[in-house]
Amino acid sequence: MHFLVLRRVFPPALLAMNHHGIASMGLAIPSRYLDVRDLADLRGVDPNKYTKGLGCHEMALCAEGEDVVTLAAAAARRAIERWGGPLSDLGLIAVGTETAKDMSRPLSAFVAEDLGLDGHVRSYEVKHACYGGTLALRQALEWRASGASGPKAALVIASDVALYAPKDPGEPTQGAGAVAMIVAEPRIAEVDLRSEAYAKPVFDFWRPVGESFPKVDGPLSLECYNLGAERTFAALAGDRPVADLVGEFEALCFHVPFPKMVKKAVMHLGAANGWDEPTTAGLFETKVMPTMEDNRRVGNAYTASLWISVARALRGLQAGQRIAAYSYGSGFGAELLTLTAGKDAAAAAWAADLEADLAARRRLSADDYQAWRGA
Ligand code: HMG
């Protein structure tokens, strides 16, 4: 069993025929972080549980004055500057988030205010746990493809601050970050119109109105995440073996609640499709693990997590090379998307964002963190 021979590379001339995809990208993470080994010391847990058991390394944390809006606006400014168009060429701003600031006013209004964006623009927030950013992107893409957009572009942002109650089992998976994308001509990547979604109403992770932290049924959330992956890959493969589908991609990106979860999902996919374990483990090492390098340093940034992984995977791709992106949001909804690199992927201008933010951020001590959380 192997996954490499069936790669399909689309010539750049063909790509020019589709005008919908990611034209530019900007990322932002907050200015502080905690090493999960320091959290383990604080909580009296073996650090190997966090680093090896969950695969986590560092978690991005907001400083005073930083929040879901400042992260979203910082990422958006970077994406807009690289795109080069005027704000008046944007006909849509959609923010996927589960860190709502208000039950009525959309997060997009807070961000638009910060950016000075108003006028003939549709502005809204999308909520479906970690899946909200992907839904915002799909809507923008389909808005462009329908022709309703006219010549206008969309600004799509996935932004979240993920915090659990102190001492919650999810605490080592905390994180924060934002990814902004201008949806217009596919200079960085065409997002294929065909995708496969799968949903099932469950309570695996939810945050009741008025409560600061989520409630989690951890084992159910793991089960649902795996089920979504199994069903969406099978649906996209159709009559073909899933291995053939997987063989087309340079990289497979997943929503990353914590890296070990992604490995579990890939192993589940292998077992569901009858692949032997070394083959599936090899697939994980070569096509999945490298996409999570930034996620390991950011933690779970909810809606932004998948797109941080996609931003990593697109770096340096040649036009025509393809990747897959599996989105999961508790509740639950999942969707498998495919992307084809455009001419600007090779230069990967957006890579500078995380490099700058990671280099500038300050490491908190366990004492700093405890004082900040109050526990
Ligand atoms: P837990 O129950 O504390 O962990 O929390 P555990 O006891 O299951 O251990 C985890 C792993 O560490 C196990 O490995 C242990 O063996 C290992 P596994 O058997 O699974 O391979 N371990 C060790 N390894 C080395 N040395 C040691 C050691 N001790 C133990 N000394 C849980 C885990 C996932 C439940 C928790 O982190 C949690 O509740 N997380 C939040 C929920 C979550 O992230 N779910 C993921 C799927 S749902 C999702 O992605 C959506 C989400 O992003 C939200 C949204 O959509 O908005 C969360």
Side-chain angles (χ1 to χ4, degrees):
M1 170 90 57
H2 53 82
F3 299 97
L4 293 171
V5 290
L6 291 160
R7 177 189 299 161
R8 277 196 295 170
V9 176
F10 294 97
L14 252 185
L15 298 178
M17 290 165 63
N18 184 313
H19 297 290
H20 316 296
I22 305 169
S24 89
M25 222 187 303
L27 291 85
I29 57 164
S31 61
R32 305 190 310 180
Y33 75 99
L34 184 71
D35 189 306
V36 297
R37 290 168 300 184
D38 292 333
L39 179 68
D41 282 350
L42 180 65
R43 301 295 180 226
V45 170
D46 179 350
N48 288 329
K49 175 173 178 184
Y50 294 168
T51 55
K52 295 196 167 70
L54 298 175
C56 299
H57 284 199
E58 295 164 358
M59 54 173 81
L61 299 168
C62 288
E64 191 76 31
E66 287 176 330
D67 68 4
V68 65
V69 175
T70 63
L71 291 172
R77 278 206 176 79
R78 287 167 165 174
I80 291 167
E81 194 183 318
R82 287 190 186 109
W83 172 54
L87 290 183
S88 56
D89 281 2
L90 292 173
L92 187 155
I93 170 173
V95 183
T97 190
E98 54 181 297
T99 318
K101 278 184 82 85
D102 189 283
M103 289 297 291
S104 297
R105 193 174 197 252
L107 202 72
S108 58
F110 292 88
V111 178
E113 203 162 38
D114 196 305
L115 298 174
L117 173 63
D118 60 17
H120 297 285
V121 60
R122 183 180 285 164
S123 166
Y124 61 97
E125 176 181 315
V126 182
K127 182 179 74 170
H128 190 319
C130 301
Y131 180 31
T134 302
L135 284 168
L137 177 74
R138 292 298 317 176
Q139 289 175 336
L141 188 77
E142 289 160 17
W143 172 73
R144 287 269 307 182
S146 73
S149 63
K152 295 226 171 175
L155 170 60
V156 169
I157 308 166
S159 182
D160 267 306
V161 175
L163 282 179
Y164 291 84
K167 303 179 186 165
D168 185 282
E171 194 177 22
T173 71
Q174 295 172 140
V179 178
M181 292 171 270
I182 298 290
V183 177
E185 69 281 9
R187 289 186 219 159
I188 293 177
E190 174 190 329
V191 182
D192 301 321
L193 273 178
R194 166 98 196 273
S195 65
E196 285 293 343
Y198 189 85
K200 185 173 175 180
V202 295
F203 276 94
D204 60 329
F205 170 107
W206 66 106
R207 181 158 65 87
V209 174
E211 295 201 14
S212 303
F213 303 117
K215 300 193 179 303
V216 187
D217 180 341
L220 178 63
S221 76
L222 310 188
E223 202 182 292
C224 293
Y225 183 105
N226 285 348
L227 178 68
E230 181 188 329
R231 294 290 161 88
T232 55
F233 273 85
L236 200 64
D239 294 338
R240 294 185 298 156
V242 171
D244 287 6
L245 172 75
V246 163
E248 291 179 7
F249 305 116
E250 301 301 316
L252 304 173
C253 301
F254 285 75
H255 164 54
V256 190
F258 52 92
K260 181 71 160 297
M261 179 66 237
V262 176
K263 183 167 188 187
K264 280 173 185 276
V266 174
M267 298 312 289
H268 176 83
L269 205 55
N273 288 286
W275 309 337
D276 58 75
E277 265 190 43
T279 302
T280 315
L283 173 74
F284 174 76
E285 291 297 328
T286 54
K287 293 195 180 186
V288 184
M289 181 87 145
T291 72
M292 297 193 290
E293 259 186 60
D294 295 323
N295 301 89
R296 298 169 87 87
R297 304 197 60 191
V298 172
N300 188 358
Y302 290 159
T303 52
S305 272
L306 170 66
W307 298 99
I308 289 172
S309 166
V310 167
R312 183 82 200 189
L314 284 170
R315 282 193 195 189
L317 288 191
Q318 298 304 309
Q321 290 184 306
R322 306 182 73 222
I323 64 169
Y326 170 68
S327 190
Y328 178 86
S330 287
F332 87 85
E335 189 157 343
L336 181 62
L337 285 66
T338 56
L339 292 86
T340 307
K343 64 179 175 47
D344 288 358
W350 65 91
D353 296 346
L354 279 197
E355 274 160 23
D357 288 355
L358 286 167
R361 68 186 187 163
R362 182 170 79 84
R363 178 175 176 171
L364 294 187
S365 67
D367 288 345
D368 292 334
Y369 176 79
Q370 188 176 31
W372 177 58
R373 296 304 307 269

